[in-house]
Amino acid sequence: MTQLVLHNYDLDDACYRVRLVASCCDLPVELRNVDMFPGMEQVSPPYLKLNPLGRLPILETADVTLRHTGAILLYLAGLDPQKRLLPTEASALAQMMDWLFFAERDLSVASTARAISIMDVPGDGPATIAQTRALLRIMEDHMSAQEIKGLSFFAGEEITLADLALFPAFALSRDCNIDHDAFPALRLWARRVRATPGFVVMPGIPDYH
Amino acid sequence: MSETGWVPIALSRFIAPGTSAGTAVHGAEIVVWRDTGGKAHAWEDRCPHRGMKMSFGFVRGDHIACLYHGWEYDETGTCRYIPAHPDLEVPPSICVTRYAVTEAGGMIWTALPLGDMPEVEPNAPDMDGLRSLYIDAPLDAVLAGVKTVASEVSQTGALITATLGEAPLTLGLQTIDADHSALHITLPSDTPTATRLSLLDQFATLRRNVESPLKEAAQ
């Protein structure tokens, strides 16, 4: 088994996505904790050498260094011998990718809104919160339709990488004062995600135990 | 606003056993939760300990526990357990305020004024919940929007019946606050999937049409 090293910050939602997927795929990951806040260690010279973008997470193996969350998630899901988070059928795989790109690209504003709220990052708080809410509404509309079709998850009947990539933005939305009141379909979906074998939490996401 | 009587606050099927959710009626925050035995509850959304929203908490059997310090309340709203003092016999004066609650027509209802316990149940036909649509607009604007797309619209209290396309609908009306409303959309259980999906689209369009002029006016 390839040794996987995750440069990690526990409060960062993108790092959490990586820990969550690794755990659900039963893949052991060695954590190197980085002082992202307030230390800004991710932009220190040794870290800029690993990732000139100055961001976490970074996944290192003997062969590759990956620095985009989506790429890391796809790599981990592919390493899983059971490939349990990757649909095999082309259309289901495409839908998974569609939502994975949504999570990585569009929904990055949710991470920004949260960072402004809790990590003192500069930016337009109210605007990013409004954008986040509009994106959660798109997710709510989709899951309302999925339920009517008898489908429990974003890309079909089974949980995929897309669900785990989307979950943190919803589960952590209260960090920037977006309640779950107006998202009943997402509440039921989040409950199903929580029931996935290997599911783990992060600070800000209660484990209810 | 002086709305009285039963008001719907959720679709029954979206409050699964063992879960809780927050909502509001005319600005008053409410936690609606269902115990693991299936019984629904509507309480003030506030833990008497530190004021934390109970809707952030979690359900354990027929108790709901606060997320902050785990104080557990039984179905009468009385605090039964304080984890920091496991041996303490909790004084019975520590209570969450309970409101009227019932289920009818695929919806969970509470009654206004909050705390009022009506003797007569809401009169709602047996229906399936389609979805709760949350709209950033006053209820008047939502109703005006419904009337532009639906026919045979008729209102009784917080309930309207209407026909959209071929579909006979019952819509539960909830005023969340002056600028936010919810439509709890229900329909007959034999409504085909294709009709349900088409209705979802029509209501998403309705929401857009109702919200757009308000958003433009705000800019």
Side-chain angles (χ1 to χ4, degrees), chain A residues 35-178:
Chain A
D35 178 14
M36 188 165 146
F37 180 80
M40 298 290 280
E41 198 185 351
Q42 77 279 12
V43 292
S44 64
Y47 268 102
L48 286 176
K49 209 171 140 191
L50 263 182
N51 180 8
L53 295 165
R55 279 199 310 245
L56 295 181
I58 305 165
L59 189 81
E60 261 193 299
T61 73
D63 309 317
V64 290
T65 302
L66 302 173
R67 58 209 179 183
H68 278 98
T69 311
I72 296 171
L73 300 187
L74 281 164
Y75 178 59
L76 294 176
L79 284 181
D80 173 17
Q82 298 175 38
K83 307 256 190 299
R84 64 198 102 179
L85 295 175
L86 297 174
T88 46
E89 193 264 320
S91 154
L93 183 65
Q95 288 176 70
M96 181 201 87
M97 293 303 286
D98 196 67
W99 282 108
L100 191 59
F101 282 118
F102 177 94
E104 295 306 318
R105 183 183 165 201
D106 304 289
L107 211 48
S108 66
V109 72
S111 306
T112 308
R114 182 171 167 270
I116 293 169
S117 286
I118 67 168
M119 284 188 254
D120 247 4
V121 169
D124 185 343
T128 54
I129 290 170
Q131 288 164 34
T132 302
R133 198 167 161 267
L135 292 166
L136 291 176
R137 201 189 240 188
I138 291 171
M139 292 166 62
E140 172 73 18
D141 287 355
H142 178 70
M143 283 314 297
S144 299
Q146 290 293 87
E147 288 224 334
I148 288 166
K149 295 176 192 165
L151 303 172
S152 297
F153 294 98
F154 270 80
E157 276 172 62
E158 304 292 332
I159 192 165
T160 69
L161 210 45
D163 300 284
L164 298 183
L166 294 165
F167 175 79
F170 177 65
L172 294 165
S173 73
R174 286 161 173 165
D175 281 352
C176 54
N177 290 319
I178 302 174

Side-chain angles (χ1 to χ4, degrees), chain A residues 133 137 140-141 144-149 174 179-185 187-188 191 206 208-209, chain B residues 13-17 19 21-23 53 55-56 58 67 130-131 134 136 193 196-197 200 207 211:
Chain A
R133 198 167 161 267
R137 201 189 240 188
E140 172 73 18
D141 287 355
S144 299
Q146 290 293 87
E147 288 224 334
I148 288 166
K149 295 176 192 165
R174 286 161 173 165
D179 270 343
H180 292 172
D181 299 16
F183 305 107
R187 291 197 305 258
L188 290 184
R191 201 154 176 263
Y208 297 144
H209 288 298
Chain B
R13 73 180 184 91
F14 283 98
I15 308 293
T19 69
T23 189
K53 284 188 172 190
S55 54
F56 285 24
F58 41 95
L67 182 65
L130 181 74
R131 79 172 289 193
Y134 291 85
D136 297 341
T193 301
R196 289 171 188 247
L197 290 172
L200 275 195
R207 179 181 62 192
E211 288 181 350

